[in-house]
Structures are given as structure tokens and as C-alpha cells.
Amino acid sequence: MREAKTDQTTRERVADRLREEALTAAAIARDFEIQASTAVSHVEHIAQSLDSTDEQLLVAPPTCRDCGFDDFDDLINRPSRCPDCKSESVEEPAFRIE
């Protein structure tokens, strides 16, 4: 884990990391020692706060490792299984700010 800047909130530090590299919710949770659901909440709030800026949150959608399906309705949360082939081998979405 990186050394935390004391004058920044966790959400601000997450946003800074997403400006550096694409991360999944699991990676954010691990790096910032928070729950994955909290990481998703931070990402959702970060996306809203970017609405008034020239930056945007990019999302690499979840993708089924078995059949390649990537047209999931919810791009933020990791689905439990693929609706097409029913496989549970689904990659998490990844987030990046550009």
C-alpha cells in the first residue's frame, strides 16, 4: 500500500490512483484496505464529481472469460455469472480517470 497523504480523503486518494492506472474494485479495496462494496461506492461518487470537470471515468466492462460476453447491464458491479453461457468466470470491471 502507498503512503497516505494526510490532507486527502480516501475518495480523493482513490481518484488520484485512477488517474495513474486502471484498477478493479478488488484492487482498490486491497490497496486502500477497504471493502470492495465501499470501493464501488467511492467509484460511483467519483464519477458524479467528475461531471463538472473535463475528466471522465472510463469503465472497461466485465467480461466473461469463457465466451467473451461483455454486454452486461450494470458496468460498475461484477456480475456473479454470465447471462449468455452461465459461466461464473467473469472478469471484474476496471476503472480509470482520463
Side-chain angles (χ1 to χ4, degrees):
M1 186 173 135
R2 295 176 172 218
E3 186 176 318
K5 295 179 184 176
T6 57
D7 59 338
Q8 285 187 310
T9 65
T10 299
R11 191 169 292 157
E12 290 169 332
R13 291 185 292 124
V14 169
D16 285 347
R17 283 291 305 282
L18 293 178
R19 287 180 180 97
E20 296 172 6
E21 64 182 314
L23 295 172
T24 64
I28 294 168
R30 182 183 58 250
D31 289 354
F32 291 93
E33 298 177 354
I34 57 176
Q35 297 293 318
S37 61
T38 303
V40 169
S41 177
H42 284 321
V43 168
E44 291 171 335
H45 284 276
I46 289 166
Q48 290 175 352
S49 68
L50 294 176
D51 285 345
S52 62
T53 70
D54 61 346
E55 294 180 305
Q56 61 182 341
L57 179 75
L58 303 178
V59 181
T63 305
C64 177
R65 290 183 186 107
D66 291 340
C67 74
F69 182 85
D70 66 356
D71 194 25
F72 293 92
D73 293 335
D74 183 357
L75 297 180
I76 300 281
N77 294 298
R78 181 180 182 212
S80 59
R81 75 171 92 182
C82 174
D84 208 34
C85 73
K86 309 300 184 222
S87 170
E88 293 182 4
S89 182
V90 178
E91 290 181 28
E92 278 189 88
F95 312 102
R96 180 172 177 83
I97 295 174
E98 285 189 6

